[in-house]
């Protein structure tokens, strides 16, 4: 089963890290990524640029709206993601708990839908 793990972080907290703390967190992350690749769990991972570089696109009643930045005003912004293979949600959560930046941010773990449902978008969810 595939799970998308979204890493949320506060840019301010990351910017406040000393160079040595940043390099340690970065290396710990790279090491964890490599271990997930070796054991076949990691499908893909990418960091995202600053939320200040984002644009949010909406179309309502045929009108286009483009907003600079992310849609939600929150302290934590989506900073990156990793797509993994896991047997179940519990295993995916276990993988997410080992992601290094979980100690200063949060990781949202969500199962992947292999295709859109015939009924409604979120019908029959348990």
């Amino acid at each position: 089963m595939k799970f998308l793990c979204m890493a949320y972080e506060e840019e301010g907290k990351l910017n406040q890290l000393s160079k040595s703390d940043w390099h340690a967190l970065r290396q710990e992350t790279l090491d964890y990524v490599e271990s997930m690749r070796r054991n076949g769990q990691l499908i893909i991972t990418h960091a995202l640029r600053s939320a200040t570089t984002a644009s949010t696109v909406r179309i309502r009643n045929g009108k286009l709206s483009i907003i600079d930045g992310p849609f939600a005003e929150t302290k934590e912004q989506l900073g990156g993601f990793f797509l993994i293979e896991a047997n179940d949600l519990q295993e995916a959560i276990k993988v997410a708990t080992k992601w290094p930046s979980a100690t200063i941010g949060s990781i949202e773990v969500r199962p992947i839908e292999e295709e859109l449902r015939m009924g409604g978008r979120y019908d029959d969810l348990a």
Side-chain angles (χ1 to χ4, degrees):
M1 213 173 154
K2 292 180 181 76
F3 292 86
L4 183 64
C5 302
M6 294 162 282
Y8 290 87
E9 56 200 26
E10 286 184 51
E11 285 187 35
K13 279 187 179 180
L14 289 174
N15 290 337
Q16 291 171 357
L17 292 175
S18 68
K19 271 200 191 268
S20 63
D21 286 344
W22 165 248
H23 288 289
L25 178 63
R26 181 181 180 279
Q27 190 58 56
E28 188 178 355
T29 301
L30 293 173
D31 291 345
Y32 189 53
V33 164
E34 185 54 35
S35 74
M36 287 193 302
R37 277 194 180 113
R38 276 195 313 270
N39 73 22
Q41 278 187 303
L42 183 66
I43 297 168
I44 192 169
T45 185
H46 283 288
L48 298 174
R49 290 192 175 184
S50 169
T52 61
T53 67
S55 294
T56 300
V57 176
R58 285 181 164 172
I59 300 174
R60 298 292 186 271
N61 298 319
K63 274 188 109 169
L64 172 64
S65 169
I66 302 171
I67 308 167
D68 289 340
F71 170 70
E73 288 291 326
T74 63
K75 285 186 177 183
E76 289 186 344
Q77 305 292 336
L78 182 61
F81 67 90
F82 49 110
L83 182 63
I84 62 169
E85 189 72 44
N87 291 319
D88 53 31
L89 180 60
Q90 286 70 34
E91 183 181 355
I93 290 171
K94 186 176 176 182
V95 170
T97 64
K98 295 178 183 172
W99 192 259
S101 67
T103 61
I104 59 172
S106 59
I107 311 295
E108 180 180 340
V109 179
R110 198 180 298 186
I112 295 291
E113 287 282 352
E114 295 294 334
E115 57 186 55
L116 286 175
R117 296 169 180 268
M118 289 295 292
R121 175 70 175 97
Y122 300 106
D123 286 354
D124 304 316
L125 294 179

